[in-house]
Amino acid sequence: MFISHAPGDSEWAEGFAKRLNRPDIRIFLDRWSLDFGDVLVHRLDAAIRSASHGIAIISPESVGSPRVMEEYAALAHASAERQLRFIPLLIGDVALPPFAANRVWRDFREITDHQYDEKVDEIAAVILGEAAPDRVAAAEENLAASQPAPPRPLTEPPEHSFVVCYAGADAEYAGELVRQLRAGGLPVWSIGDLRPGDAHFWTVRRQLRYAVGIVVLMSPQSQDSDDVTRMILEGQQHGRPFVPILLHGERNFHLANTWYVDARDGRLLGEGELALLERLVAAGPDGGAPDGPEADPVAVLPQPPTRPSVRAVRVPAATGLSRLDTYLAEKEYTHADLLTTSLLLEAANRAGDGWLRARDAHALPAELLAGVDAVWARHSHDRQGLRVQRGLARVRRGRHAEFLNLSVACGWRRAVDDVVPAGYQEFADRAGPGRRAGFFPTLRNPQNEHFADWYDQWSATALAVHLRLDERGTLQ
């Protein structure tokens, strides 16, 4: 373990190293490890090259120290090249350097002695490959460490798990739920399982891409959480099955047409609901039963409950457009695409059905359509958006032949007789790295794509939106 720190933080670093010290952990700390006569740069370089773990103590003095920043760069390089685990520790009021911000870090500011000992023990467990302590505070810190994903391919995790998504305010229930699922022998992963040094958002995305199912704790706090929203959109992008659990308030509008568990009384899952999760595990991450033919994993979900349904939350247009602007600024085109569809469905009061009919076209506010188009156009240099699509192919009567022409013009299909991929991600890949002009927004809803008539629902939605666009003044 190589510990990097500024000279002014030497006392703090030495105290930390003493507390971290274990028989099986060899620590390189300049006060302990350098001898008179050592060539400093050679000795530090050799120590970093031989280290399997690196700690960077981040403080106002460290970010202003050229030597510490050189060590920081060397640790960042080692992390990228040979998987050295890089763990930033924040001890002063200063912004984390970019690479450190992409790693799960630990905050040692304004903590009690007990919290200090807990954090050090957690880091020691990570170094020694032991099970990390079960701490709610760790889950909250992991949520705070969220950053946009670094450009790394998503590799398959060792185990396909249920991913539990929640806001910090719901961490206590999330912890109880995770323990219940694990006690029942079900594979489960949550943000609380992130460990110091993990690439935060990349790890989350990998788990979502290969999730057996995604459990979303619905509450006003999770509805407002950008992290939870991104996790939902990521799961939809890859066609993962969802098991929403309503804790408080109204249902998440992204999951308005999805079966859900009503846990507003604080209960955990019942036997029937646990049996449902077991069936999802048996179906496998790609929907194939262990000894049977391919099948959609979402097909094992039950029908919506017969009791009165809790309505989905209504999202102000300004809030939705602001989030759309953020995703496109980050080049998250698929997330922006799925969000656009959700916003239009919600505005037409069709989120619970997941698609639009021709008669729903008049319910789409012209101001929202214009706002959506403006955001897409601004971030794509006028290559994407509803106005571009209307310029490629007009829809005047709502006939399927018009949808076929629109599909070819936007690149959704290669020819009129081409078969459109059933999976959203494969379909979205048709946009290509240059993102073919007019491809987005596609108006597809992956949540409906486990139904046999998903194509008819998609085509009806696209036709309804474009019929509204053809009305005079809609995009003026």
Side-chain angles (χ1 to χ4, degrees), residues 240-378:
R240 299 296 85 198
F242 283 84
V243 183
I245 300 177
L246 180 62
L247 299 184
H248 311 287
E250 300 165 339
R251 298 162 64 193
N252 190 296
F253 84 106
H254 288 289
L255 303 171
N257 65 326
T258 305
W259 175 87
Y260 68 98
V261 176
D262 191 341
R264 287 174 294 170
D265 57 0
R267 71 179 183 89
L268 293 173
L269 299 186
E271 290 184 5
E273 292 146 353
L274 291 173
L276 162 66
L277 301 190
E278 291 171 357
R279 291 171 63 191
L280 284 172
V281 173
D286 295 319
D291 299 310
E294 289 284 312
D296 192 323
V298 186
V300 308
L301 294 174
Q303 294 299 311
T306 56
R307 63 180 181 276
S309 177
V310 177
R311 70 185 182 92
V313 69
R314 300 304 301 267
V315 176
T319 301
L321 291 176
S322 175
R323 186 165 282 174
L324 180 65
D325 185 73
T326 298
Y327 294 165
L328 286 172
E330 297 173 359
K331 306 299 181 185
E332 294 281 6
Y333 274 72
T334 52
H335 288 187
D337 185 35
L338 299 177
L339 175 60
T340 297
T341 303
S342 294
L343 290 175
L344 297 183
L345 291 173
E346 193 271 340
N349 200 29
R350 291 282 293 174
D353 299 279
W355 62 287
L356 298 175
R357 304 157 299 186
R359 62 178 179 271
D360 298 317
H362 72 278
L364 293 169
E367 297 81 3
L368 176 61
L369 291 169
V372 165
D373 178 68
V375 177
W376 276 100
R378 183 170 68 254

Side-chain angles (χ1 to χ4, degrees), residues 4-81:
S4 173
H5 65 91
D9 301 321
S10 295
E11 184 176 348
W12 194 97
E14 186 167 14
F16 172 83
K18 288 178 179 177
R19 180 62 182 78
L20 180 68
N21 199 20
R22 306 283 195 284
D24 294 330
I25 299 178
R26 291 188 298 120
I27 296 175
F28 184 96
L29 184 70
D30 53 6
R31 282 191 175 188
W32 297 356
S33 308
L34 293 176
D35 297 322
F36 288 109
D38 282 343
V39 178
L40 181 61
V41 65
H42 293 167
R43 188 73 176 88
L44 294 176
D45 181 63
I48 291 174
R49 282 191 284 107
S50 64
S52 59
H53 298 71
I55 283 179
I57 297 173
I58 309 297
S59 70
E61 183 167 348
S62 71
V63 297
S65 168
R67 180 178 70 80
V68 174
M69 287 297 99
E70 287 179 1
E71 293 175 359
Y72 165 84
L75 291 171
H77 179 77
S79 178
E81 292 295 315

Side-chain angles (χ1 to χ4, degrees), residues 3-278:
I3 299 179
S4 173
H5 65 91
D9 301 321
S10 295
E11 184 176 348
W12 194 97
E14 186 167 14
F16 172 83
K18 288 178 179 177
R19 180 62 182 78
L20 180 68
N21 199 20
R22 306 283 195 284
D24 294 330
I25 299 178
R26 291 188 298 120
I27 296 175
F28 184 96
L29 184 70
D30 53 6
R31 282 191 175 188
W32 297 356
S33 308
L34 293 176
D35 297 322
F36 288 109
D38 282 343
V39 178
L40 181 61
V41 65
H42 293 167
R43 188 73 176 88
L44 294 176
D45 181 63
I48 291 174
R49 282 191 284 107
S50 64
S52 59
H53 298 71
I55 283 179
I57 297 173
I58 309 297
S59 70
E61 183 167 348
S62 71
V63 297
S65 168
R67 180 178 70 80
V68 174
M69 287 297 99
E70 287 179 1
E71 293 175 359
Y72 165 84
L75 291 171
H77 179 77
S79 178
E81 292 295 315
R82 59 180 180 83
Q83 304 305 307
L84 171 140
R85 182 172 286 271
F86 182 84
I87 307 174
L89 306 183
L90 190 59
I91 68 170
D93 292 325
V94 65
L96 286 166
F99 185 85
N102 279 329
R103 289 293 180 271
V104 175
W105 42 273
R106 285 294 174 255
D107 192 344
F108 278 82
R109 298 170 299 177
E110 299 180 3
I111 58 175
T112 65
D113 291 343
H114 176 69
Q115 291 169 331
Y116 177 92
D117 290 340
E118 276 192 331
K119 291 174 187 286
V120 176
D121 289 343
E122 179 192 22
I123 292 170
V126 168
I127 298 168
L128 296 173
E130 300 171 350
D134 185 10
R135 298 197 298 120
V136 170
E140 294 172 348
E141 284 183 290
N142 292 343
L143 284 167
S146 175
Q147 294 289 330
R152 290 175 59 188
L154 297 177
T155 57
E156 191 169 354
E159 181 178 48
H160 297 173
S161 305
F162 288 101
V163 177
V164 180
C165 308
Y166 58 94
D170 304 319
E172 184 175 354
Y173 181 95
E176 293 178 5
L177 177 65
V178 167
R179 286 188 284 273
Q180 180 193 30
L181 299 183
R182 286 181 175 149
L186 294 169
V188 61
W189 186 93
S190 78
I191 203 80
D193 293 310
L194 285 170
R195 309 187 71 181
D198 283 345
H200 180 281
F201 209 72
W202 179 87
T203 303
V204 174
R205 276 192 145 157
R206 179 175 74 158
Q207 292 292 338
L208 291 168
R209 166 65 182 85
Y210 293 97
V212 174
I214 301 175
V215 180
V216 179
L217 304 188
M218 298 189 295
S219 69
Q221 292 80 13
S222 71
Q223 177 70 66
D224 294 337
S225 168
D226 187 53
D227 285 327
V228 173
T229 299
R230 287 174 185 266
M231 293 174 82
I232 292 172
L233 295 175
E234 187 77 14
Q236 290 180 344
Q237 176 180 334
H238 296 293
R240 299 296 85 198
F242 283 84
V243 183
I245 300 177
L246 180 62
L247 299 184
H248 311 287
E250 300 165 339
R251 298 162 64 193
N252 190 296
F253 84 106
H254 288 289
L255 303 171
N257 65 326
T258 305
W259 175 87
Y260 68 98
V261 176
D262 191 341
R264 287 174 294 170
D265 57 0
R267 71 179 183 89
L268 293 173
L269 299 186
E271 290 184 5
E273 292 146 353
L274 291 173
L276 162 66
L277 301 190
E278 291 171 357

